[in-house]
Amino acid sequence: RVALSALLSMEGGSTLVVNLPTGSGKSLLFQAPIMMDKDCGLVLVVVPTTALALDQERRIFDLGIPEISNSQPIAFHSGLSEDERQLVKDKIKNGTQKILFASPQAVMGSLLPSLYKAGRSGLFSYLFIDEAHVFSGWGETFRPDYQALPGFRRGINELGSINKLKTVLLSATFTKTDLD
């Protein structure tokens, strides 16, 4: 409840760190904005694996949120057709992609222009980084796109849009070192 309350009262441009055990409601935090506000803008959830993206996509579809059709992808991964990948990018740019699960490589790669366009237009509201402990745990040379996410966030927030990203770092295993 405390994490959800903190999320709902966040100001744009701020960061929330949520350290909760597995199964205690971290997924609810990125589901809440799209369930509570149909005009909340894009909720981007950065995940470390395709399997996690697909599992979260299935969970969102199971919720039956009217604004999210089960026929349109919300997990961006290499198994999508080029048409599906383009559809996601177009929906990001026009503000109709409500939630998206993607790897840091996709965010810093093929999704980057669409995400910046959405940010410039004020259509990008939340950046969740799931398993955020990997920043320090895996080191600087493993999956460097994770290391680039803070710069990406800063770039989106500097676009001049009135909507600054609300950033939420999620993990069940943050250590003191991670939080420093």
Side-chain angles (χ1 to χ4, degrees), residues 55-128:
D55 182 55
Q56 292 294 355
E57 178 183 64
R58 180 191 51 76
R59 288 180 184 192
I60 293 288
F61 289 159
D62 288 348
L63 291 174
I65 300 168
E67 292 80 22
I68 300 177
S69 165
N70 291 17
S71 65
Q72 297 178 345
I74 59 172
F76 194 85
H77 56 88
S78 61
L80 296 177
S81 70
E82 189 52 43
D83 287 344
E84 290 171 316
R85 294 167 75 83
Q86 189 58 51
L87 175 65
V88 169
K89 293 173 192 177
D90 291 344
K91 288 181 70 175
I92 290 169
K93 290 186 275 191
N94 69 27
T96 58
Q97 184 78 35
K98 296 302 177 189
I99 189 166
L100 183 65
F101 299 94
S103 70
Q105 292 84 350
V107 170
M108 300 310 298
S110 63
L111 290 174
L112 193 61
S114 300
L115 292 168
Y116 268 98
K117 183 167 176 40
R120 202 171 6 270
S121 302
L123 303 172
F124 187 0
S125 300
Y126 289 90
L127 172 62
F128 285 84

Side-chain angles (χ1 to χ4, degrees), residues 44-61:
L44 176 63
V45 185
V46 179
V47 294
T49 67
T50 300
L52 186 53
L54 291 171
D55 182 55
Q56 292 294 355
E57 178 183 64
R58 180 191 51 76
R59 288 180 184 192
I60 293 288
F61 289 159

Side-chain angles (χ1 to χ4, degrees), residues 26 46 48 52 129-135 146 170-174:
K26 291 185 296 293
V46 179
L52 186 53
I129 301 176
D130 200 9
E131 306 299 342
H133 64 276
V134 301
F135 279 103
Y146 262 108
L170 302 168
S171 181
T173 59
F174 279 126

Side-chain angles (χ1 to χ4, degrees), residues 4 7-8 26-43 65 67 98-99 125-126 128 166 168:
L4 183 58
L7 173 79
L8 296 175
K26 291 185 296 293
S27 296
L28 174 63
L29 297 177
F30 48 77
Q31 295 166 359
I34 59 174
M35 291 190 297
M36 297 178 73
D37 180 5
K38 66 179 182 159
D39 298 319
C40 78
L42 175 65
V43 174
I65 300 168
E67 292 80 22
K98 296 302 177 189
I99 189 166
S125 300
Y126 289 90
F128 285 84
K166 297 174 183 179
V168 183

